[in-house]
Amino acid sequence: MSKEQQYKQQLIDLGVYSPAFDAEIHTLCILERELSRTMKAWKATAPPGGAPLATDPLYEVITKQRRDILTHRDALGLTPKGLQRLRRQAPPSSEAAAPVGTSNPALNTLLDGIRGKVNGSTP
């Protein structure tokens, strides 16, 4: 299973997948491959028997790539914060939706008054 298919399946399992996400999933996978290549190049700069330095210019590129990847993962709902945001934006399912007009009593009273005036009668 490709990485793109894995992300798609994760989004389906979370209940937030939409075909509109396909381009974003593709971009995320490209960014992850670029990060992998950059990290490999950064590790190759290490002295024999040592670790690569955080002062190497490639390390700054790596941190930027990580931020970009996190941004894309968040946009897809693959982080806790991103998932909450997507679930808040999603319309409620028909089974879980509350009947119209029962969520706020004060609003219901106001709406009833407006409906009465529009219909020609006052409540």
Side-chain angles (χ1 to χ4, degrees):
M1 180 181 280
S2 73
K3 193 69 172 173
E4 289 185 33
Q5 291 169 332
Q6 289 175 3
Y7 281 132
K8 182 177 177 179
Q9 188 58 49
Q10 285 177 352
L11 293 169
I12 290 169
D13 292 345
L14 292 170
V16 295
Y17 175 75
S18 168
F21 290 171
D22 289 342
E24 185 69 18
I25 292 169
H26 182 70
T27 302
L28 174 61
C29 290
I30 289 171
L31 288 171
E32 288 179 340
R33 286 190 292 273
E34 289 173 353
L35 173 63
S36 178
R37 287 186 211 114
T38 306
M39 288 190 66
K40 185 176 180 181
W42 176 59
K43 288 177 183 178
T45 66
L53 301 173
T55 57
D56 189 290
L58 284 175
Y59 188 74
E60 187 175 325
V61 173
I62 289 169
T63 57
K64 183 185 180 317
Q65 288 174 325
R66 286 177 177 164
R67 280 192 303 269
D68 291 345
I69 288 170
L70 181 60
T71 300
H72 286 271
R73 290 178 62 82
D74 188 56
L76 287 168
L78 293 171
T79 64
K81 181 179 104 178
L83 182 59
Q84 276 185 332
R85 188 182 83 277
L86 282 178
R87 286 192 172 157
R88 274 195 313 263
Q89 290 176 353
S93 66
S94 58
E95 296 172 4
V100 176
T102 61
S103 59
N104 185 334
L107 180 60
N108 289 338
T109 304
L110 178 64
L111 288 174
D112 289 340
I114 293 171
R115 286 183 190 119
K117 288 179 184 177
V118 169
N119 293 333
S121 63
T122 55

